[in-house]
Amino acid sequence: KKGGGGRVFDINSYLIMPIQRVPRYELLLKELLKNTPSTHKQYPVIEKALESIGGAARQLNETKREAESGMRLIQLHNSVKNWPKRFTLIEPGRTYILESKAIFARWPSLDPPPPLSFWSGLGSLILCSDILIWTNDTQTYLAHGDLEKMTFESMKHDAVVKLVLKRPKTKTNGEGEVVTTWLAKFESVAECNKVYSMIESCRSKLLRDYKSRMSAVEQGGNRSDP
């Protein structure tokens, strides 16, 4: 269908219009509130309307982020090769956070540094809300770890993050833990710092959520006590 000025709109253009209007209304109300005297009888009404439209805008943005996150996880699920058989990328509550280009080496430290032959081609480190995944230059899965069960060390001057995976041993290899260390080298120190900061932010959120759940469980148990 043709709109004003002879422009042609498809169905998607019309579907997005209500969403686009919300931030416009928010800007309009902000300007209106700014130019309304605080003593005016309509001032509280405009203030409440602005608060409501602001909440709607935040909800729309959050829904959009969740949809984009879900789409990216589906794309990664389909594009990355050789996922482990028991690993599921798409899980309830899991969100995609970021990707960064890096090379990887399964090596304990930079002292001494790993030989050049140990480094992968330029792959990707993929951060989700609860896990970290890394792939090589052919988009082949290398490894992954749960953020809550991993330890990290930033070697900022070398643009490297040390990723330490800890997994329980299986029945065939005895008790205890299997510890595997990988090095992720980024294209710049700034990128390394950004990724490390986001990893720490996700880990902190997981810890807060865990404490909140435990607190709720304890409170529920206390209420049920005679």
Side-chain angles (χ1 to χ4, degrees):
K1 182 178 178 179
K2 286 188 178 181
R7 291 177 298 171
V8 177
F9 295 104
D10 60 13
I11 184 63
N12 291 326
S13 300
Y14 285 102
L15 290 174
I16 199 67
M17 281 182 179
I19 296 173
Q20 291 173 333
R21 286 191 178 122
V22 172
R24 293 176 189 169
Y25 292 149
E26 186 176 16
L27 289 173
L28 176 64
L29 286 168
K30 281 181 179 178
E31 193 65 22
L32 184 60
L33 189 69
K34 179 181 175 182
N35 290 281
T36 302
S38 59
T39 55
H40 195 284
K41 64 178 182 180
Q42 292 297 320
Y43 189 90
V45 177
I46 301 169
E47 198 172 36
K48 186 173 181 180
L50 179 58
E51 183 180 341
S52 297
I53 201 73
R58 289 189 293 273
Q59 182 61 44
L60 282 173
N61 287 335
E62 182 61 29
T63 302
K64 181 184 176 185
R65 281 194 294 269
E66 289 176 359
E68 290 173 345
S69 167
M71 288 299 298
R72 185 59 187 138
L73 288 177
I74 291 171
Q75 290 170 354
L76 288 168
H77 172 78
N78 293 331
S79 62
V80 174
K81 299 183 282 289
N82 293 346
W83 289 110
K85 290 182 179 179
R86 296 185 180 181
F87 175 75
T88 305
L89 176 62
I90 302 170
E91 293 278 3
R94 176 173 295 160
T95 56
Y96 165 86
I97 305 298
L98 63 77
E99 283 174 75
S100 184
K101 293 296 180 183
I103 57 176
F104 303 95
R106 188 170 175 176
W107 195 260
S109 72
L110 286 177
D111 186 22
L116 289 176
S117 59
F118 275 65
W119 291 100
S120 69
L122 188 63
S124 296
L125 184 137
I126 303 160
L127 174 63
C128 296
S129 53
D130 62 328
I131 61 169
L132 200 59
I133 306 156
W134 44 108
T135 66
N136 65 13
D137 53 328
T138 63
Q139 280 199 302
T140 300
Y141 167 93
L142 291 175
H144 80 277
D146 297 333
L147 293 181
E148 291 179 298
K149 299 177 183 178
M150 296 177 66
T151 57
F152 306 89
E153 181 183 346
S154 177
M155 305 172 186
K156 296 179 180 179
H157 297 298
D158 298 293
V160 169
V161 173
K162 182 192 287 188
L163 312 168
V164 182
L165 298 170
K166 296 180 181 180
R167 291 192 173 94
K169 291 183 178 180
T170 62
K171 293 181 181 179
T172 57
N173 57 14
E175 298 180 354
E177 290 183 322
V178 176
V179 179
T180 308
T181 302
W182 288 77
L183 303 177
K185 184 173 180 63
F186 298 90
E187 295 181 303
S188 69
V189 171
E191 184 66 12
C192 176
N193 291 343
K194 183 187 82 171
V195 172
Y196 186 78
S197 176
M198 290 302 297
I199 290 172
E200 287 298 305
S201 176
C202 288
R203 278 166 56 87
S204 296
K205 185 178 185 305
L206 287 171
L207 180 60
R208 289 195 303 271
D209 291 347
Y210 174 77
K211 288 182 176 179
S212 177
R213 290 195 301 271
M214 291 300 99
S215 176
V217 170
E218 289 176 2
Q219 290 175 6
N222 292 337
R223 284 196 296 268
S224 63
D225 289 341

